[in-house]
Amino acid sequence: GSSVGNSTSKEAEMIARYEQLISLWIQKFKIYPEEARSEGLQGETVVRIRIDRRGNVRYYTLERSTGHPVLDRAAVDMIRRANPVPATPVDYPPGDVLEFLIPVNFQLQ
């Protein structure tokens, strides 16, 4: 008998920490396209990614458009460059493929 569905707060905390780790990792590979910068384009999107336990990105898609194709492409390029992401911790909850939603913001300072 496995106890799927009643994840402990320790597990939930581990999942949240790992999701944050992946998010920070991916953001390091974000490049603001020069053409978007010069035109003052900004936008935000959410990227859905699926990874295996070794951190290899198996699937990714933009959940919604930023409204600017150039920024959408930049978000997708960022995922490609970030692959592979850090592997899951040893005691991470089971699952061969893990799905995360990563918010991505393109904002001019």
Side-chain angles (χ1 to χ4, degrees), residues 18 22 25-30 49-60 75-87:
Y18 182 57
I22 291 178
W25 173 273
I26 290 173
Q27 308 284 346
K28 287 194 300 196
F29 295 87
K30 178 167 70 179
I49 64 168
R50 291 189 196 131
I51 60 172
D52 64 23
R53 294 183 77 87
R54 289 192 301 280
N56 299 306
V57 178
R58 296 288 182 199
Y59 169 88
Y60 57 85
V76 167
D77 287 345
M78 177 180 75
I79 301 294
R80 282 206 293 263
R81 280 193 299 270
N83 185 17
V85 302

Side-chain angles (χ1 to χ4, degrees), residues 2-4 12-13 16 18 22 28 37 40 42-43 48-49 60 65 78-79 81-82 93 106 108:
S2 70
S3 58
V4 175
E13 192 182 318
Y18 182 57
I22 291 178
K28 287 194 300 196
R37 194 187 290 273
Q42 302 188 106
R48 179 186 297 270
I49 64 168
Y60 57 85
S65 172
M78 177 180 75
I79 301 294
R81 280 193 299 270
F106 289 96
L108 295 164

Side-chain angles (χ1 to χ4, degrees), residues 8-38:
T8 63
S9 58
K10 182 173 178 289
E11 272 191 355
E13 192 182 318
M14 192 185 305
I15 292 170
R17 266 209 308 270
Y18 182 57
E19 188 165 6
Q20 187 180 27
L21 176 72
I22 291 178
S23 181
L24 290 171
W25 173 273
I26 290 173
Q27 308 284 346
K28 287 194 300 196
F29 295 87
K30 178 167 70 179
I31 296 175
Y32 214 123
E34 200 46 58
E35 50 181 311
R37 194 187 290 273
S38 62

Side-chain angles (χ1 to χ4, degrees), residues 64-76:
R64 62 168 190 263
S65 172
T66 59
H68 306 291
V70 60
L71 293 180
D72 290 352
R73 275 199 306 276
V76 167

